[in-house]
Amino acid sequence: MQYRQLGSTELSVSEISFGTWAIGGSWGKVDDNESLRALSRAMEAGVNFFDTADVYGSGHSEELLAKATKGKEDTIHIATKFCRVGDIHDPSIYSEASVRAYCEQSLKRLQRERIDLYQIHCPPISILRDGSVFAVLDKLRDEGKIREYGVSVETVEEGLLCLQYPNVKALQVIYNIFRQKPEKELLPLAKEKGVGILVRLPLASGLLTGKFSEQSQFETDDHRSYNRNGESFNVGETFAGLPFEKGVALSRQLSWIAEGKGNMTRAALRWILDNPNITCVIPGFKNTAQVEDNLGVLSTTPFTESEQLRLQQFYEQEVHELIRGAY
């Protein structure tokens, strides 16, 4: 396992870390015992960083992480997020009283005295422009409730705005072969300012595994079913904003990336980690087999310059115009 510094912070995190949205809910059926085994396997392999949120399974992901990391609080770092339990457009959600309550509830579920990275969970850009929530987070940091704070964003514009606040130490972004926009301006500037980058949805909700067909079906409680066209939240969070059938067809055109890299999953993760402006990638998982598959990227060779150019041109010519929603 390789480790990378999270921006200008003192946190050193595994370049392959994991997100826990899937084991909390919204990705179909899960088994808690299998989830705990998968978390254990990841830690055995050297993973020392996990991302979660209070809204994942109404706190269930946080509770699972508490069980999995008990006794390892000093060596396993946890990032969690807040604001989407309530109405994200209501300014009172970001008041000191509200944020403090969210923080205390997460600390209780995580069974920790401090959150390593506390993130605002994809708030409206108006909240970021107002900026008063950052003063609240400064207080929590000064009190030792949180170690560092950051923002999970939906768009490049939101990310650039966050970089104007000096104590924002991490951005969580959607970035993958189907979503390359952040790499031109946002990622280099974040690096320059000492802000770490966490990459979520690196596999575009599974499209970049190459395992789907146009006939693939998802359970009704899986966001890949109920949010396919942005019915419940930002469409970019599901299949990178691509129409599903078109995304499947595009993934077939990318089958070549698996050559010499094991499979498309590992190749897609490798492409992200080849970017020196990335701190870590946080794929989701529902079982030990998926953890093992993702860990396979550690022995995968980097893409050549010509291959990277080919993928850049593919995105610009075939993908960019098809992505729905602001990004």
Side-chain angles (χ1 to χ4, degrees), residues 120 122-129 134 150-174 179 181-183 185-191 193-198 200 326-327:
I120 315 174
C122 300
I125 197 167
S126 59
I127 297 299
L128 299 174
R129 289 195 179 110
F134 296 113
V151 186
S152 181
V153 298
E154 299 282 9
T155 70
V156 167
E157 181 184 7
E158 291 167 357
L160 292 172
L161 180 57
C162 290
L163 294 180
Q164 298 177 19
Y165 296 94
N167 292 329
V168 170
K169 297 300 183 182
L171 290 178
Q172 186 176 140
V173 303
I174 303 174
R179 293 269 291 216
K181 185 178 178 181
E183 71 181 26
E185 183 179 7
L186 180 59
L187 301 187
L189 186 59
K191 181 79 167 183
K193 289 181 171 290
V195 175
I197 295 289
L198 284 59
R200 72 180 187 275
Y327 74 108

Side-chain angles (χ1 to χ4, degrees), residues 132-295:
S132 57
V133 67
F134 296 113
V136 175
L137 292 169
D138 283 334
K139 280 189 178 183
L140 293 178
R141 187 195 57 182
D142 293 343
E143 293 171 11
K145 297 288 186 182
I146 63 177
R147 187 170 180 173
E148 306 289 356
Y149 65 79
V151 186
S152 181
V153 298
E154 299 282 9
T155 70
V156 167
E157 181 184 7
E158 291 167 357
L160 292 172
L161 180 57
C162 290
L163 294 180
Q164 298 177 19
Y165 296 94
N167 292 329
V168 170
K169 297 300 183 182
L171 290 178
Q172 186 176 140
V173 303
I174 303 174
Y175 176 62
N176 56 56
I177 294 173
F178 285 152
R179 293 269 291 216
Q180 299 184 30
K181 185 178 178 181
E183 71 181 26
K184 289 189 176 180
E185 183 179 7
L186 180 59
L187 301 187
L189 186 59
K191 181 79 167 183
E192 179 184 324
K193 289 181 171 290
V195 175
I197 295 289
L198 284 59
V199 174
R200 72 180 187 275
L201 298 172
L203 303 175
S205 305
L207 279 178
L208 289 167
T209 66
K211 297 177 181 177
F212 299 152
S213 72
E214 285 85 353
Q215 289 73 44
S216 294
Q217 298 291 317
F218 302 93
E219 296 172 67
T220 55
D221 60 346
D222 189 322
H223 76 101
R224 292 173 293 184
S225 174
Y226 68 76
N227 194 60
R228 184 170 292 199
N229 297 302
E231 297 91 337
S232 298
F233 42 83
N234 190 295
V235 69
E237 298 287 344
T238 305
F239 302 126
L242 289 168
F244 176 68
E245 291 78 8
K246 186 60 179 177
V248 171
L250 288 168
S251 71
R252 286 200 195 97
Q253 294 182 46
L254 286 173
S255 61
W256 65 268
I257 66 174
E259 296 172 11
K261 291 182 169 57
N263 58 32
M264 284 185 65
T265 297
R266 297 171 189 180
L269 295 175
R270 181 73 264 165
W271 180 84
I272 294 169
L273 291 176
D274 283 348
N275 189 321
N277 297 322
I278 298 301
T279 305
C280 67
V281 61
I282 50 173
F285 65 95
K286 291 172 70 174
N287 53 55
T288 306
Q290 290 175 346
V291 166
E292 293 282 8
D293 194 19
N294 290 329
L295 289 171

Side-chain angles (χ1 to χ4, degrees), residues 61-70 78 109-111:
S61 288
E62 291 180 326
E63 293 169 344
L64 285 171
L65 281 170
K67 292 180 181 179
T69 66
K70 189 171 181 61
I78 292 179
R109 286 189 292 266
L110 290 167
Q111 297 179 32

